[in-house]
Amino acid sequence: MKDRILKKYEGNPVVTPQHMPETVLYVFNPGAVKHNGEYILMMDTTTLDDIHRLWIARSKDGYNFVPEDKPVNWPAPDPSHPETCIYDPRITKIGDEYIILYASDLSQNDVRIGIVKTKDFKSFERVAIASELGNRNGALFPEKVDGLYVRLDRPFGNELNPCYMWISYSPDLVFWGKSKPLTYKGKPFHDGYKLGAGAVPIKTDRGWLEIYHTVSQTCNGFIYRLKACLLDLEDPSKVIGYTRDFILWPEHEYEMRGRVMNVVFTCNAILEEDGNVKIYYGAADTNIGLAEGKIDDIINACR
Ligand code: BMA
């Protein structure tokens, strides 16, 4: 236990379907930010019609969350793209706006990256459907690089060429391009069977810290676990180090049993002023857990 970089909160899970004001089947994979001194989780919920909707919970201390009465009042979709399921929101603060990149699903596996923004987590404005078919895990950097917005994304692969993290650039959040895979020592960065962005990157003196998920294949299904890597500050397409060991993995009942077994999955990590990081994560696509650690320890583990 002592050598763990991240410590799971002893009161985990912090949100379960039983906490919700209406019957939901699952609550998981929250976007997480601090806004006006409050912790906000924007959570995937699966309602009884089996549709994924986003739902907000708020907390004063980061541990005790109260869900709102109803799901988020999501802006109506463009009629040409009548998204049905929305999930995995990753929230990035730029200026006084929060930009949310999420998976916009028309039907199973008909998924693109959508972008919506808000200033207050009460009203939301649509920005764009911002990818081709078959892309998700979009995570927007909190600053432009060389005058362009930057995001991590994860185009779909196939059995022979499983998915991994790419990077794309945009002048306006609507048009995206210059896409290429992240590289490590000049080669596409692969780790595990497949991998994708987890948390929105955090800027540090030693590089952009990216906490990502990596997926292992077993004879009995996938296991989703977390690792971390550092990206070059000037050219974030370059991985300059990564943790060879997992930093978070499913081990408890609430992480191993649920809609999808053996999953820990994150969309945002919150860096506190004292250097502590709070990682909110979906557990078995059913509950929400919290793990905490020191940012320096995570960075030091990236080699
Ligand atoms: C990913 C996404 C996540 C989910 C994970 C495990 O591909 O769909 O929303 O948590 O699979 O099921």
Side-chain angles (χ1 to χ4, degrees):
M1 285 291 191
K2 279 199 182 130
D3 57 351
R4 289 191 179 204
I5 292 172
L6 299 178
K7 195 164 167 265
K8 290 179 185 171
Y9 171 51
E10 57 193 19
N12 269 353
V14 291
V15 187
T16 71
Q18 288 70 41
H19 287 102
M20 301 301 288
E22 284 176 23
T23 305
V24 301
L25 300 173
Y26 317 107
V27 54
F28 56 111
N29 296 4
V33 284
K34 245 170 143 175
H35 168 65
N36 285 347
E38 215 181 23
Y39 293 82
I40 292 187
L41 297 185
M42 187 178 243
M43 315 175 293
D44 294 358
T45 51
T46 312
T47 37
L48 285 176
D49 49 10
D50 208 28
I51 288 183
H52 289 359
R53 297 190 164 83
L54 300 180
W55 205 307
I56 284 176
R58 296 170 189 269
S59 168
K60 292 277 177 233
D61 62 5
Y63 302 96
N64 298 287
F65 283 90
V66 179
E68 293 187 339
D69 291 342
K70 294 280 170 208
V72 172
N73 189 13
W74 203 242
D78 182 313
S80 65
H81 185 81
E83 61 187 12
T84 44
C85 285
I86 48 180
Y87 56 99
D88 296 355
R90 292 177 169 88
I91 308 169
T92 303
K93 187 169 191 204
I94 298 188
D96 62 350
E97 290 187 322
Y98 295 91
I99 318 281
I100 303 163
L101 273 57
Y102 65 99
S104 167
D105 219 337
L106 288 180
S107 64
Q108 189 71 32
N109 287 330
D110 187 348
V111 60
R112 294 165 177 81
I113 295 173
I115 306 184
V116 155
K117 63 182 183 179
T118 183
K119 284 189 174 167
D120 55 9
F121 290 93
K122 291 187 180 123
S123 61
F124 297 84
E125 193 184 320
R126 197 166 277 286
V127 177
I129 294 295
S131 78
E132 301 295 323
L133 172 67
N135 204 332
R136 63 181 166 198
N137 294 317
L140 180 69
F141 285 65
E143 285 176 21
K144 291 181 179 175
V145 175
D146 288 339
L148 294 173
Y149 292 102
V150 189
R151 77 176 185 209
L152 299 173
D153 51 31
R154 215 253 2 230
F156 278 24
N158 56 41
E159 294 261 313
L160 291 177
N161 299 293
C163 335
Y164 46 98
M165 275 189 282
W166 282 51
I167 192 162
S168 303
Y169 300 84
S170 171
D172 56 6
L173 293 173
V174 176
F175 296 95
W176 290 86
K178 290 182 71 180
S179 302
K180 56 181 174 178
L182 292 191
T183 55
Y184 179 64
K185 296 191 173 166
K187 297 202 177 115
F189 177 56
H190 289 274
D191 186 12
Y193 173 68
K194 54 180 183 169
L195 75 157
V200 163
I202 296 173
K203 192 173 194 186
T204 79
D205 293 348
R206 289 155 70 186
W208 294 100
L209 177 65
E210 168 57 20
I211 298 166
Y212 62 96
H213 66 265
T214 157
V215 183
S216 312
Q217 227 180 358
T218 76
C219 61
N220 202 17
F222 291 137
I223 308 176
Y224 280 68
R225 295 178 274 206
L226 301 187
K227 288 195 179 184
C229 64
L230 282 175
L231 309 176
D232 187 276
L233 281 178
E234 267 126 57
D235 179 359
S237 73
K238 289 187 180 141
V239 175
I240 52 177
Y242 64 103
T243 59
R244 301 306 192 268
D245 293 339
F246 299 113
I247 58 170
L248 202 76
W249 57 92
E251 60 190 313
H252 301 295
E253 183 80 5
Y254 65 91
E255 299 160 330
M256 296 172 74
R257 189 186 287 271
R259 178 174 179 268
V260 182
M261 296 187 302
N262 297 323
V263 176
V264 299
F265 190 98
T266 191
C267 292
N268 273 111
I270 296 177
L271 176 61
E272 304 282 16
E273 278 170 12
D274 63 1
N276 226 44
V277 181
K278 285 193 172 64
I279 301 173
Y280 293 96
Y281 64 95
D285 286 6
T286 300
N287 304 295
I288 293 175
L290 165 63
E292 295 179 273
K294 293 196 170 57
I295 192 159
D296 286 345
D297 291 345
I298 306 175
I299 292 172
N300 288 339
C302 294
R303 298 187 271 119

